[in-house]
Structures are given as C-alpha cells and as structure tokens.
Amino acid sequence: MKICICDKNLPKISKEQLEDFGFLLIETKELENFHSPLGTHPDIQVCKIKENLLVVEPSVYSYYNNLLSKYGIIIKSGEKIVEDIYPKDCLYNLASNGEIAIHNFEITEENILNEIDFEKVHVNQGYGKCNVLFTKSGVITSDNGIYKALGDRRKLLIETGDIDLDGYDYGFIGGASGYSDAVYFIGNIQNHKDFHKIETFLKEEDTQYEILGDFKLKDFGSLIFLEI
C-alpha cells in the first residue's frame, strides 16, 4: 500500500492526481493555537523516521495513530508542542531517508532523536525537511549550509526562491515536493528557474518526476510518503 500524508489545503487537482497514482491520502489536522499557514503543513507536525515509523506532535497523536496504526505503521508521540514562532515551530522538521537525518539537532524533539540509529548530519537550519528533497540517490536543496554539510554525497544546490508559500516571501523545494517511486512536485517544476539543473540531476539517477497541477511551484510542507 502507498500512503501520502499531505496538507489538508493541498489543491484539489493535486489530491486527485495523487489518488490517480494510487496513493491513499491522509490529510493533516490543523494545529490548535497555530495561526500561520504552516499549521497544516505535514512537516511541522509529522516526522518520518523510516517507512513504518513516525514521531508526531502530541496534540495530533491520536489523530494519526487512529488513521495509520491499522496499516502497521508505528506512531510515536513527541513530548513538545510546537508553537507559532521560530524555532519552536520546527522541532519536528527533520529530514530523513532512513540512512541519514538532517536537522539542527540543538532543537530536534527528543523523542525523534531517541529513534534515530543512523547517521546524523547537523546543520544550522531548523527547517531541515522544508529545505531538503531526497531523491533516489541524492539530495536537492537551496540551503548552502545543508549543501556543504552533506560533504561528498550526491547533491544539487539550487537558487533560493521561485516557490510560493502563503504568508512568506518564498517557500522551499522540500516543502513543495516529495519522493516515493518518483519525485512529485506540487506545481509545475518546469517553470522553476533551475528546472534544467533539477531535470538533469534526476535523469542521471533514472528518476521520473510528476507535476501535480499546472500552477507555480508551491510549498505545502512536503508530501510525506509511506510504502508498506
């Protein structure tokens, strides 16, 4: 089974296309007392550690546990409640592909740290998941600090911006996408100023990409894919 955790406010066309690709959609629940558009973003309230393991913000633990535990996915609750101010809004915003974890580990929720038994890459960026798109064998980011911290791993640095994010000047590539059997972009990646660099990077590892809606690329807090 293929599952996608997505922002409840994701455009209808994007949801329909994901369903057409065979994904069961789990829409986010809005966080209480969180007033910015980030309150419905998956990567603010859900941290995927591995394919069958999530650590979630405590106020939404029951919600996700009821929806996902029946599929054999382990849902664990964090201790800290996120707040609508940096860096308390990105305690769960860690990027993981099950082999490396990327985050500012000075602020990472402790219950997430307890579950990571693989390599940690510390960065100054609190919005680790927002700024990271894992591909089949590499990482795409617009954050120069993350890019440098990745060392000799396969990676691509793109320009900041050219991605919409409600309430902010711009969004990030990780927040506007997700990787499963292909890279799924929320919006038309072909209109991004670094499209050709991104396309070449994906072709080199034989990765397909899909466009979920013919509009400007937009950050909805990542598409979190689970395959069980």
Side-chain angles (χ1 to χ4, degrees), residues 74-139:
I74 300 168
I75 314 295
K76 297 196 174 184
S77 175
E79 297 293 334
K80 295 180 180 178
I81 294 175
V82 297
E83 298 180 33
D84 197 2
I85 185 172
Y86 184 86
K88 294 181 179 180
D89 58 349
C90 53
L91 308 176
Y92 297 79
N93 201 262
L94 173 144
S96 167
N97 66 354
E99 297 178 2
I100 61 171
I102 303 170
H103 202 213
N104 181 335
F105 292 106
E106 295 177 0
I107 64 172
T108 310
E109 218 289 326
E110 188 171 348
N111 285 5
I112 294 174
L113 290 175
N114 292 339
E115 297 297 334
I116 296 174
D117 56 4
F118 44 89
E119 186 177 359
K120 300 182 180 74
V121 177
H122 175 77
V123 296
N124 292 327
Q125 176 59 258
Y127 297 113
K129 185 72 177 79
C130 291
N131 279 273
V132 165
L133 167 57
F134 283 114
T135 65
K136 182 188 297 183
S137 62
V139 176

Side-chain angles (χ1 to χ4, degrees), residues 14-32:
S14 302
K15 292 179 183 178
E16 290 175 345
Q17 286 179 289
L18 284 166
E19 289 176 330
D20 287 344
F21 284 120
F23 292 100
L24 170 67
L25 298 190
I26 302 295
E27 298 185 20
T28 56
K29 181 179 181 181
E30 189 161 4
L31 293 174
E32 297 178 6

